[in-house]
Amino acid sequence: HEADAYRTDLMTITRFVLNEQSKYPESRGDFTILLSNIVLGCKFVCSAVNKGEEQKKLDVLSNDVFVKALVSSGRTSVLVSEEDEEATFVESSKRGKYCVVFDPLDGSSNIDCGVSIGTIFGIYTMEHSDEPTIEDVLKPGNEMVAAGYCMYGSSCMLVLSTGTGVHGFTLDPSLGEFILTHPDIKIPNKGNIYSVNEGNAQNWDGPTTKYVERCKYPKDGSPAKSLRYVGSMVADVHRTLLYGGIFLYPADKKSPNGKLRVLYEVFPMAFLMEQAGGQAFTGKKRALDLVPKKIHERSPIFLGSYDDVEEIKALYAAEE
Ligand code: AHG
Ligand code: MN
Ligand code: MN
Ligand code: MN
């Protein structure tokens, strides 16, 4: 009987967010409608990935689904997608108070070999009711009101924060609902995994080189760290969030700003890491304090367990 009572108390992502939003008396369910359209996009991509859609098609399909779902939600004004050179300005009759930046398909080079890929998104609110401009999305990550990712792997899991901690929801295909499975995720303060593409080692700067050296040949007699690198940011960050450790995409001589994009890769993951008790650093400053000048600009990123990121911050500080 007890088990049945538990089974019937379905904490879907919609119900969870409605609970969260009830703390904001002025909210009239706009965020819940926005989120339900992001969830729709994730369910579409999840089913397309499981049908084995090939990469090229999936990159375009997923972008189209998210743009259409977000525009038709009537809750957005500006959209930025990794797949669209220019921002999308929603026509006035359909405008809402949110701006969404997203990577519809992250890790797309991994699609054709079946390795986990994902969708990453961040949400800003419009601070004025005039015509929307590009300035409404060229804001520091510390002004984001929510962020999350969906990982399409052995199971489909959506990890979300609306500023009150990080929560994981697993898609139950029989219900077509994301059910809360990982409430209040906290990243361990220290981990024993480092995650970086060592193939770029010859181009790294001093502090990154020193830090990775320490991971492999610890001076203080502690055990060497394990290297885990999937090559999909969503998969590497999800493992870091649950197991602890550090994920690095450093600058290198060829790409002085690294590879990952500020608005829809660095900011959402940095937001989640801080909400889970970890941190995110660019080599110069707190990642969320970056102020992007262009919608597709890049930044180096070091994120994960609080103590592990402190170590690389000390190495960059010594370099100043
Ligand atoms: P995307 O597929 O959206 O272009 O992102 C790919 C990114 C990110 O997912 C991953 O962390 C990184 O590329 C891997 O880059 P390298 O192959 O250079 O390591
Ligand atoms: Mn990406
Ligand atoms: Mn992408
Ligand atoms: Mn890409």
Side-chain angles (χ1 to χ4, degrees):
H1 171 64
E2 173 57 25
D4 280 355
Y6 174 75
R7 252 166 52 86
T8 54
D9 191 20
L10 292 172
M11 182 51 82
T12 64
I13 191 165
T14 307
R15 179 176 152 194
F16 183 86
V17 165
L18 275 172
N19 286 353
E20 292 297 300
Q21 294 301 307
S22 63
K23 292 173 195 156
Y24 305 101
E26 79 285 355
S27 90
R28 294 187 315 283
D30 288 339
F31 185 81
T32 306
I33 291 170
L34 173 68
L35 187 77
S36 64
N37 280 281
I38 292 174
V39 163
L40 176 68
C42 293
K43 288 178 184 172
F44 174 89
V45 176
C46 178
S47 87
V49 167
N50 291 334
K51 275 188 204 120
E53 284 288 359
E54 41 92 25
Q55 165 174 0
K56 191 63 218 114
K57 232 168 122 202
L58 208 49
D59 250 339
V60 174
L61 269 178
S62 53
N63 188 51
D64 288 354
V65 162
F66 279 109
V67 170
K68 286 172 184 157
L70 289 168
V71 169
S72 63
S73 77
R75 298 305 185 277
T76 63
S77 286
V78 190
L79 306 178
V80 169
S81 165
E82 185 212 33
E83 297 301 321
D84 292 331
E85 197 46 44
E86 303 303 326
T88 299
F89 291 90
V90 179
E91 41 132 341
S92 52
S93 67
K94 284 197 170 308
R95 274 181 207 152
K97 67 180 187 184
Y98 294 107
C99 296
V100 184
V101 295
F102 62 100
D103 179 356
L105 210 60
D106 172 70
S108 39
S109 62
N110 278 324
I111 294 178
D112 296 334
C113 63
V115 168
S116 297
I117 54 178
T119 296
I120 311 170
F121 60 90
I123 299 169
Y124 291 105
T125 47
M126 290 285 291
E127 299 310 322
H128 62 80
S129 50
D130 310 331
E131 275 299 294
T133 72
I134 201 66
E135 300 309 316
D136 293 313
V137 285
L138 290 176
K139 292 179 182 171
N142 58 43
E143 290 184 21
M144 269 188 184
V145 293
Y149 60 80
C150 191
M151 188 171 78
Y152 312 105
S154 47
S155 65
C156 176
M157 187 158 171
L158 202 155
V159 173
L160 172 75
S161 175
T162 60
T164 57
V166 178
H167 311 284
F169 302 82
T170 304
L171 183 63
D172 176 334
S174 64
L175 295 177
E177 289 284 356
F178 281 97
I179 306 293
L180 180 67
T181 49
H182 295 63
D184 205 18
I185 300 173
K186 291 294 175 204
I187 183 170
N189 265 338
K190 197 158 178 41
N192 58 14
I193 297 172
Y194 73 106
S195 185
V196 67
N197 181 343
E198 293 234 8
N200 299 326
Q202 64 182 322
N203 298 320
W204 289 338
D205 62 22
T208 290
T209 305
K210 267 191 214 118
Y211 181 76
V212 173
E213 202 61 19
R214 262 196 214 166
C215 291
K216 298 156 90 163
Y217 307 98
K219 296 252 178 318
D220 56 4
S222 57
K225 290 186 190 278
S226 294
L227 170 59
R228 293 283 184 276
Y229 193 69
V230 178
S232 287
M233 188 187 196
V234 171
D236 283 316
V237 169
H238 187 63
R239 183 207 53 251
T240 304
L241 184 67
L242 295 186
Y243 294 0
I246 187 165
F247 171 80
L248 312 86
Y249 208 107
D252 66 41
K253 287 190 202 95
K254 285 182 313 178
S255 351
N257 284 322
K259 172 183 182 182
L260 299 178
R261 312 314 179 97
V262 174
L263 274 182
Y264 42 78
E265 290 173 324
V266 171
F267 279 169
M269 296 315 204
F271 185 102
L272 291 168
M273 278 298 159
E274 290 199 1
Q275 285 290 319
Q279 60 175 325
F281 176 63
T282 67
K284 292 193 172 68
K285 58 167 48 174
R286 175 189 179 224
L288 289 180
D289 291 342
L290 277 175
V291 181
K293 294 275 170 298
K294 293 246 178 273
I295 58 175
H296 297 297
E297 82 180 45
R298 304 165 193 262
S299 169
I301 183 69
F302 307 89
L303 58 77
S305 293
Y306 192 88
D307 294 354
D308 292 333
V309 178
E310 280 299 287
E311 275 188 43
I312 199 146
K313 279 165 74 174
L315 287 168
Y316 272 97
E319 179 83 9
E320 296 261 309

